[in-house]
Amino acid sequence: PDTAGPSLGPRLERIAEVQVVLASVESMLPADDERPGEWQRLLDSFVSTSFSEPTVNARLDELLAEAADLRAGVVGPEPFTFTLTGDASIDVRIGNTLDEPLDVIVRLSSQRLGFPAGDQRVTLASDATTIVNVPIEVRSNGTSAVVVDVLTPAGEPLIEPVTLTSRVNALTGFAQVLTGAFVLILAAWWFQNWRAKRRAAAGG
């Protein structure tokens, strides 16, 4: 036929875009959550000329708003400064304002520090602040920025990056040797002094 009804090209493109957004949000939900299945059935039903463009666009907007509400439930940490004298760990507080748990990825990066645990997948408790313990390896002394990113498990950023400040005052290898030598000298002096006092007491 010369015509086959209105073109669904633009609609299909928008459905695909919404599908990507929902897939990212789906990665935050428990495996048994029923909403992703409902979203997919609804999107599949829109591939039909029985729905008008205004109706489809309105429902797609509602789905995007639902996804935005889920993402907005995640609250990043407040910036803070911490000091290290060697390998250690810090606590990063991630909030969840929703009445349901959410899975997220917590990622830290820095030029002077290493993070042996890598990206950590964390389940945020509902309507609470979850403390994420992050092990740290010191690479060099000095002050540097530590960037905290919180993402969906699918890799979509959920918050603006938060910058922490680290101050590393780890001893150098030479300084550690000097400190160890000083401790040994002090211990030897104390032992000799103690023995001399015991001999003097025994002689008296």
Side-chain angles (χ1 to χ4, degrees):
D2 294 335
T3 61
S7 171
L8 293 180
R11 181 192 298 189
L12 295 178
E13 289 181 5
R14 185 154 194 244
I15 289 174
E17 293 171 357
V18 173
Q19 198 165 24
V20 171
V21 173
L22 294 178
S24 183
V25 171
E26 178 184 349
S27 68
M28 302 170 64
L29 303 176
D32 58 354
D33 196 292
E34 296 180 354
R35 283 171 292 183
E38 296 172 356
W39 294 338
Q40 189 58 53
R41 285 190 292 272
L42 191 58
L43 293 177
D44 290 342
S45 71
F46 291 155
V47 187
S48 169
T49 55
S50 63
F51 291 96
S52 68
E53 290 302 316
T55 298
V56 172
N57 284 327
R59 293 296 285 119
L60 292 178
D61 288 342
E62 291 174 3
L63 290 175
L64 290 176
E66 187 175 354
D69 288 341
L70 287 169
R71 291 196 302 268
V74 178
V75 181
E78 292 294 327
F80 63 89
T81 299
F82 59 94
T83 300
L84 300 174
T85 57
D87 294 349
S89 64
I90 60 172
D91 290 334
V92 178
R93 300 173 181 271
I94 311 294
N96 176 12
T97 62
L98 303 183
D99 60 357
E100 60 181 311
L102 297 172
D103 282 1
V104 299
I105 298 294
V106 179
R107 174 184 298 163
L108 274 69
S109 55
S110 171
Q111 293 184 346
R112 293 181 180 269
L113 305 176
F115 304 96
D119 293 352
Q120 296 191 55
R121 181 165 182 153
V122 179
T123 298
L124 303 180
S126 59
D127 196 23
T129 297
T130 299
I131 298 176
V132 183
N133 185 260
V134 182
I136 296 177
E137 290 180 346
V138 172
R139 292 176 176 170
S140 62
N141 291 344
T143 300
S144 63
V146 177
V147 178
V148 180
D149 290 298
V150 182
L151 312 97
T152 70
E156 178 191 5
L158 288 166
I159 64 168
E160 291 295 323
V162 175
T163 301
L164 314 180
T165 302
S166 72
R167 293 175 180 154
V168 178
N169 299 319
L171 294 173
T172 63
F174 180 67
Q176 290 175 335
V177 171
L178 289 180
T179 300
F182 175 76
V183 170
L184 290 175
I185 292 172
L186 182 63
W189 173 84
W190 179 87
F191 181 71
Q192 290 177 354
N193 189 50
W194 175 75
R195 289 186 62 185
K197 287 183 179 179
R198 287 199 61 183
R199 289 197 193 98

